[in-house]
Amino acid sequence: MAVTKQHEDYENRLEALIKEMPDYVVKYVDDKLDIRSPLTLFNYVRDFREFFNWLIAEGIVETDSIKNIPVEALESLSLDDANNYFKFVSRKKYKVSNKDDETKKIDTKTVNRHKSSLRSLFKYLTVESEVSAGKPYFERNVMAKIPIKKVTETLNERAKKITDKIFIEDMDIDFLEYVKNEYAVSLSPAQMRYFKRDKERDFAILSLFLGSGIRVNELTNLRIKDIDFSGKEISVIRKGGKKDTVSITPSSLEDLNNYLKVRKEIYKAGDGENEYLFVKYYKGMPEPLTNRAVEDIVYKYTKSFDKRMSPHKLRHTYATNLAEQTSGDIPLIMNQLGHTQSDISLLYINTSREKQRKAAELLDQRRNKEY
């Protein structure tokens, strides 16, 4: 299995986080490391921390430190208290990042993730672990009584949500033209300086998302050797550390090549085949871009053009265009996007069918004009 930069980053973050945890959580993480990714475990332990802090804040456990919460407190936790915790989670609100006066409630999927996290921990403590004479930490599992509310949506409904948040028709082309020719017009002198420095790199990033449909962590882990100009392909590391090869549009390859021509001079970066492709110049040294840095680049340009979008929305845009151009070739879409289930790829078929419906209506308008 290939080890990505993101994998190493979450291993380090997980290692720092478990220092705050009780011994039984440390043991849980150690036993799960071979079957769960560091990202999943980090998110789980972060959920445990929120749960433990709630237990202390509500006076259910009397201690001044999460590390000192005894396992017996979980054994004796009442069903009412468990339900109250998930009510607390589901009623939390957060600010919409680009709207100062707007808040949203946590969605059902996020609440379900909190439930899954704690169900995993309690199952480990009551079934999977052995601490004394072949017995687990305790036997009463209150979290097994907590139902997970299934989120039900049709493919059409999910596809409609995607359509509302991506570039449709030729807007992806218009967006790239805007970044290339119009974005700089409204910049201050200081902003212009950074834009001129990074424009080839940033444009190559935007073009690559829209010309290949790769994920943000797949992009940040690209090395120079992963670009095959003659084969018009790039090698990526998928979820689970699996290596894969995907096609890339010729125009995106050209944009990558334009970036590579200036990469060494601007960022003082080496050109060895194992060097990271996308880098920044920081404190006199080249450093690979993080996922967050790439997300911020995408946010900046998309917000200026139309609406704030994530790299994942650019991936959705590419997938929808691919579905339309290939008349909904599901195996091809699955291979290109690294999907393991066909129902995910079907989302983009439904999205492209919406485009076809609108096109049919426009064609019908021509007929109506003739009568």
Side-chain angles (χ1 to χ4, degrees), residues 204-217:
I205 288 171
L206 300 171
S207 180
L208 185 54
F209 280 130
L210 291 169
S212 68
I214 60 175
R215 300 177 177 91
V216 63
N217 62 297

Side-chain angles (χ1 to χ4, degrees), residues 14-68:
L14 177 63
E15 186 177 348
L17 185 57
I18 60 175
K19 291 178 181 177
E20 305 174 28
M21 295 293 115
D23 291 343
Y24 50 88
V25 173
V26 176
K27 183 74 164 57
Y28 164 87
V29 171
D30 187 55
D31 286 350
K32 295 289 185 181
L33 266 174
D34 293 333
I35 56 176
R36 296 278 192 181
S37 72
L39 171 58
T40 297
L41 287 172
F42 174 77
N43 285 328
Y44 274 22
V45 176
R46 194 167 54 175
D47 291 344
F48 300 163
R49 180 175 62 183
E50 185 168 348
F51 172 63
F52 291 147
N53 279 327
W54 181 84
L55 291 177
I56 295 172
E58 293 295 311
I60 296 169
V61 179
E62 294 185 3
T63 181
D64 58 354
S65 168
I66 288 175
K67 200 172 183 68
N68 296 328

Side-chain angles (χ1 to χ4, degrees), residues 134-333:
K135 292 186 177 182
Y137 284 88
F138 56 89
E139 294 181 355
R140 177 181 172 273
N141 183 356
V142 69
M143 289 298 165
K145 301 177 183 180
I146 302 293
I148 290 182
K149 185 178 179 181
K150 189 173 181 180
V151 181
T152 55
E153 285 181 326
T154 65
L155 279 174
N156 278 330
E157 182 61 24
R158 292 175 67 190
K160 180 180 180 299
K161 288 182 178 180
I162 290 175
T163 304
D164 292 341
K165 297 176 181 178
I166 65 173
F167 292 137
I168 59 173
E169 297 174 348
D170 291 333
M171 281 186 69
D172 57 327
I173 298 172
D174 295 339
F175 167 64
L176 291 175
E177 287 298 315
Y178 167 81
V179 173
K180 184 178 287 187
N181 300 315
E182 300 177 43
Y183 173 78
V185 173
S186 60
L187 299 182
S188 68
Q191 291 171 326
M192 179 64 80
R193 185 172 76 252
Y194 291 116
F195 172 68
K196 285 184 175 180
R197 181 194 67 187
D198 297 326
K199 62 181 180 180
E200 286 88 2
R201 182 199 67 187
D202 292 358
F203 194 81
I205 288 171
L206 300 171
S207 180
L208 185 54
F209 280 130
L210 291 169
S212 68
I214 60 175
R215 300 177 177 91
V216 63
N217 62 297
E218 293 167 358
L219 181 140
T220 54
N221 281 299
L222 285 174
R223 314 278 181 141
I224 290 178
K225 66 180 179 183
D226 295 326
I227 312 301
D228 180 358
F229 284 95
S230 59
K232 298 182 177 62
E233 294 176 331
I234 52 176
S235 298
V236 296
I237 302 175
R238 298 291 198 189
K239 289 182 177 180
K242 299 174 183 176
K243 292 184 178 180
D244 199 3
T245 302
V246 299
S247 297
I248 177 174
T249 60
S251 56
S252 294
L253 270 177
E254 184 178 342
D255 297 330
L256 273 178
N257 193 42
N258 289 337
Y259 162 61
L260 284 171
K261 289 177 181 177
V262 301
R263 176 180 170 279
K264 186 174 183 179
E265 179 183 352
I266 293 176
Y267 304 105
K268 315 303 179 191
D271 53 8
E273 64 174 18
N274 286 313
E275 295 284 339
Y276 282 103
L277 179 62
F278 291 109
V279 296
K280 64 180 180 180
Y281 189 62
Y282 182 70
K283 293 185 177 180
M285 294 288 292
E287 285 190 1
L289 288 179
T290 63
N291 289 357
R292 177 60 63 85
V294 172
E295 287 167 353
D296 288 342
I297 288 168
V298 174
Y299 292 154
K300 176 176 68 174
Y301 290 107
T302 54
K303 183 179 179 181
S304 178
F305 173 68
D306 177 48
K307 54 194 171 188
R308 185 178 184 268
M309 292 169 62
S310 66
H312 205 63
K313 295 299 181 294
L314 299 189
R315 171 175 161 85
H316 284 326
T317 297
Y318 169 84
T320 302
N321 289 333
L322 181 64
E324 186 171 308
Q325 294 298 322
T326 61
S327 301
D329 187 331
I330 293 295
L332 185 150
I333 296 167

Side-chain angles (χ1 to χ4, degrees), residues 3-15:
V3 178
T4 66
K5 179 162 57 71
Q6 183 193 40
H7 184 103
E8 292 178 347
D9 177 50
Y10 277 104
E11 277 187 337
N12 294 333
R13 294 170 72 178
L14 177 63
E15 186 177 348

